[in-house]
């Protein structure tokens, strides 16, 4: 007896259930891991793991990895991989730190900045002081020498002094101009009423900065004053208002740039992504060290704007609905990527490339162009992750990203992404980040050693890869 065909409504409902199950599997896995550690902490420790404070800490501490993993999800679905992600994040953070430290908007507009002008004047003044000291020493030493020799020696040192007078004076005048430009900008924010009344202001306020700049200008009027005489000379000078925006844009553009470079090398040279990004991983460390002169870049307190530094801050006035702005931005980015994958042609082509690149090419897909676009878009997320990293650490260090690429890739794999391409989801990636974060925090709460945490995380990664392989075999 023939079996009646399944009604269309029942078939559609079954497909929806299967789709919902695929989406919910990573979330259920995350909940199971979270419940395990919460119960273990309740029984054997101080029962702080399941607290709201610890949950917020997990969200903030892992936002950097989560933002970068959103871009990595696109790359892995398309059948690629990016081993340079960690060092690229550090390069973007270093670029942001450099932009703030160099007051990049002011530097672009005036051709110099306060620190550079101070250094130039100090060096020129030191050379002038040295020449004048040698002139005095030569005159004293040659008091008993023949007049013609004494005059020749004096003329030689006077000529050296005259050669250095003009550069020293020009450097000092340049510094004065820069301070006056800073003072004019600060006066726009300072309260003239408080200044006139001599009212005490909070340290770091615009009124306080105006007084500080005026004191520095007064010091420059003293003939014998040098910046080296004041150990705090370089402190207290704020950046131009546009420097923060320009520095953030530079960091994001650096991310897009490294993504473009990876994409062009992979698509143009037709090399394996593993090989290309293994090489660029070291390249980005070198570029970061070149930019930072092999030293971590730490902008001063006046150069670190509150809005940027509060991105992942728990300060009450920086929270929105109980969470830092950076966490909400992460959720928004996740929604945008999910919509991109689900409802755009670009998203469908990403899955097509990962499922079967040859078939996609035969169907008219511009495979090299889309590969470059995918890596560039992933680079955009690396740039944003670099902004998160600087906000979290307050320093630009090219070495901070080493090892993060493994965490980023592992998050996508644990969340159900296939290293063979063609499979992955935003929900799964975020769940993968959450599983790693829960394991990390849970082991710390239970007092387990790092070795135990790494072993457990390694088992989870291998298990996720094994499940993916078995699923692929079943489909074949």
């Amino acid at each position: 007896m023939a079996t009646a065909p399944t009604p269309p409504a029942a078939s559609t409902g079954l497909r929806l259930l299967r789709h919902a199950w695929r989406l919910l599997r990573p979330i259920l896995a995350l909940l199971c891991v979270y419940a395990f550690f919460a119960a273990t902490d309740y029984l054997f420790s101080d029962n702080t793991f399941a607290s709201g404070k610890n949950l917020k800490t997990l969200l903030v501490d892992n936002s950097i990895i989560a933002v970068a993993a959103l871009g990595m999800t696109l790359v892995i679905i398309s059948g690629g991989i990016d081993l340079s992600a960690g060092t690229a994040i550090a390069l973007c953070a270093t670029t942001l730190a450099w932009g703030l430290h160099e007051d990049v908007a002011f530097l672009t507009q005036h051709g110099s900045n306060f620190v550079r002008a101070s250094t130039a004047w100090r060096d020129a003044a030191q050379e002038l002081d040295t020449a004048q000291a040698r002139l005095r020493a030569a005159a004293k030493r040659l008091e008993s020498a023949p007049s013609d020799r004494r005059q020749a020696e004096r003329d030689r040192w006077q000529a050296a002094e005259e050669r250095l007078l003009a550069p020293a004076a020009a450097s000092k005048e340049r510094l004065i101009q820069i301070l006056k430009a800073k003072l004019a900008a600060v006066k726009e924010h300072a309260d003239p009423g408080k200044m006139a009344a001599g009212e005490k202001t909070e340290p770091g306020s615009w009124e306080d900065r105006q007084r500080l700049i005026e004191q520095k200008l007064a010091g420059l009027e003293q003939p014998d004053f040098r910046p080296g005489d004041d150990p705090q000379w370089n402190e207290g000078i704020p950046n131009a208002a546009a420097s923060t925006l320009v520095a953030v844009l530079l960091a994001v553009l650096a991310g897009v740039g490294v993504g473009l470079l990876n994409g062009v090398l992979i698509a143009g040279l037709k090399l394996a992504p593993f090989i290309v990004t293994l090489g660029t991983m070291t390249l980005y460390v070198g570029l970061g060290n070149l930019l930072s002169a092999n030293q971590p870049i730490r902008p001063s307190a006046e150069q670190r704007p509150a809005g940027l530094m509060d991105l992942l801050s728990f300060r009450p006035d920086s929270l929105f609905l109980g969470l830092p702005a950076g966490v909400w931005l992460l959720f928004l980015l996740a929604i945008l990527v999910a919509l991109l994958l689900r409802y755009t042609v670009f998203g469908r082509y990403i899955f097509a490339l990962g499922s079967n690149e040859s078939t996609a090419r035969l169907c008219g897909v511009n495979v090299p162009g889309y590969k470059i676009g995918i890596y560039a878009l992933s680079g955009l997320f690396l740039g944003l992750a670099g902004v998160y990293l600087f906000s979290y650490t307050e320093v630009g260090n090219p070495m901070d990203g080493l090892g993060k690429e493994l965490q980023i890739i592992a998050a996508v794999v644990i969340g159900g992404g296939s290293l063979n391409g063609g499979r992955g989801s935003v929900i799964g990636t975020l769940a993968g980040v959450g599983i790693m974060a829960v394991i990390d925090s849970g082991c710390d709460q239970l007092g387990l050693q790092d070795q135990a945490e790494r072993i457990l995380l390694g088992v989870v990664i291998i298990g996720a890869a094994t499940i993916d392989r078995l699923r692929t075999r079943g489909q074949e």
Side-chain angles (χ1 to χ4, degrees), residues 80 206 452 460:
W206 290 107
V460 171

Side-chain angles (χ1 to χ4, degrees), residues 6 27-28 83 97 133 146 157 166 194 229 246 251 260 266 286 330 347 356 375 384 402 422 445 465:
T6 305
I27 302 296
L28 293 175
L83 296 180
W157 285 111
K194 291 183 179 180
D229 299 338
V246 175
L260 276 173
I266 291 169
L330 166 63
N356 194 316
Y375 276 94
L384 293 173
L402 292 174
Q445 295 283 348

Side-chain angles (χ1 to χ4, degrees), residues 16-35:
L16 290 175
L17 286 175
R18 288 176 177 173
H19 181 66
W21 169 244
R22 284 197 299 268
L23 291 178
L24 291 176
R25 272 186 310 202
I27 302 296
L28 293 175
L30 173 59
L31 293 176
C32 289
V33 175
Y34 186 84

Side-chain angles (χ1 to χ4, degrees), residues 180-197:
K180 286 182 177 180
K182 290 287 185 183
L183 181 60
V186 168
K187 281 182 176 180
E188 295 180 3
H189 299 273
D191 186 343
K194 291 183 179 180
M195 296 294 297

Side-chain angles (χ1 to χ4, degrees), residues 144-205:
S144 59
S147 59
D148 56 343
R149 181 184 170 192
R150 185 166 58 245
Q151 187 61 40
E153 191 73 9
R154 186 181 296 113
D155 291 344
R156 185 166 69 89
W157 285 111
Q158 283 178 344
E161 180 186 19
E162 290 173 359
R163 284 199 310 271
L164 297 172
L165 278 172
S171 299
K172 184 176 181 178
E173 183 60 29
R174 183 62 173 152
L175 179 57
I176 292 174
Q177 291 175 358
I178 287 176
L179 279 174
K180 286 182 177 180
K182 290 287 185 183
L183 181 60
V186 168
K187 281 182 176 180
E188 295 180 3
H189 299 273
D191 186 343
K194 291 183 179 180
M195 296 294 297
E199 182 180 342
K200 186 176 181 181
T201 57
E202 293 294 328
S205 66

Side-chain angles (χ1 to χ4, degrees), residues 430-446:
L430 295 181
V433 175
I435 289 172
M436 292 195 302
V438 167
I439 292 174
D440 183 16
S441 178
C443 291
D444 288 341
Q445 295 283 348
L446 296 174

Side-chain angles (χ1 to χ4, degrees), residues 399-412:
M399 308 304 293
D400 278 348
L402 292 174
K404 280 187 170 56
E405 65 280 346
L406 300 180
Q407 295 175 277
I408 296 167
I409 295 170
V412 180

Side-chain angles (χ1 to χ4, degrees), residues 60 63-64 89 92-94 96-97 100 248 251 298-299 304-314 318 324-327 329 383-397 400:
V60 169
S63 294
I64 302 167
I89 292 173
C92 296
T94 304
L96 174 54
L100 293 176
V248 170
R298 188 181 298 275
R304 301 195 300 268
L308 180 60
M309 306 320 296
D310 287 345
L311 191 63
L312 297 176
S313 172
F314 279 120
S318 66
V327 176
L329 178 58
L384 293 173
V387 176
Y388 275 59
L389 178 61
F390 176 79
S391 176
Y392 190 77
T393 62
E394 301 184 0
V395 66
N397 187 350
D400 278 348

